[in-house]
Amino acid sequence: MNNEIEPIVGNWYLHLGKGRDFTVVAVDEDGRGVEIQYFDGDLEELSLEEWAAMELDIREPPEDWTGPVDDVELDDLGYED
């Protein structure tokens, strides 16, 4: 299966095969690879061929986007109790 979804830095996607949300954190300047970060912080590098073969769905950013970010203080987010 070849999906027609473009990898766009900052956009969120659902990997249907793994049932995991991720964001694109980088696309190679030469357009040959994509780096993604799952919500739990795991990083993965993919070729464009691997990206095209993935079963994907476009997602809205999660309400609590801090999952992949280390050491975030609640004060830094602007939340109030």
Side-chain angles (χ1 to χ4, degrees), residues 12-52:
W12 283 83
Y13 304 88
L14 171 64
H15 186 295
L16 295 170
K18 293 183 178 182
R20 296 176 70 189
D21 290 334
F22 68 89
T23 185
V24 173
V25 293
V27 178
D28 287 348
E29 289 181 17
D30 60 8
R32 294 188 179 156
V34 178
E35 186 173 349
I36 65 174
Q37 185 170 25
Y38 290 99
F39 183 77
D40 65 5
D42 290 344
L43 291 171
E44 187 172 347
E45 292 184 35
L46 307 167
S47 69
L48 286 181
E49 292 80 20
E50 291 172 312
W51 173 270

